[in-house]
Amino acid sequence: MEIVYKKVGDIKEYEGNARRSEAGVAKVAESIKAFGFRNPITIDKNGVILSGHTRLRAAIQLGMPEVPCIIHEIGRA
């Protein structure tokens, strides 16, 4: 598993995301400030988020130009 850094503008939110945790964004931003980005955002090969919508919003709130990501190839274990 390789961690790559992607520009926040190149990452797309999954339109069908059922979780909308705007209240959690500030808490996640505080955690990132205190401890760093400890859990990368998981995206597919097209840059669509599989997990990490709140982390992306927190990174944007903090003004981060890039975030760590793991690219998951769907259908591969």
Side-chain angles (χ1 to χ4, degrees):
M1 182 169 17
E2 180 183 355
I3 296 175
V4 296
Y5 282 80
K6 296 284 186 179
K7 294 179 184 177
V8 295
D10 292 342
I11 300 172
K12 303 170 206 78
E13 292 196 27
Y14 173 62
E15 291 181 16
N17 180 29
R19 292 176 138 183
R20 302 280 179 198
S21 180
E22 292 303 322
V25 173
K27 289 180 181 179
V28 172
E30 286 300 318
S31 176
I32 291 171
K33 280 183 6 185
F35 305 108
F37 219 110
R38 308 296 282 172
N39 190 7
I41 296 170
T42 304
I43 59 174
D44 68 12
K45 66 181 179 180
N46 298 313
V48 178
I49 297 174
L50 302 174
S51 68
H53 290 81
T54 303
R55 282 172 269 156
L56 176 64
R57 291 183 187 141
I60 292 169
Q61 181 177 317
L62 292 170
M64 297 176 71
E66 297 181 323
V67 292
C69 297
I70 296 171
I71 301 173
H72 180 73
E73 294 185 34
I74 305 298
R76 297 181 90 189

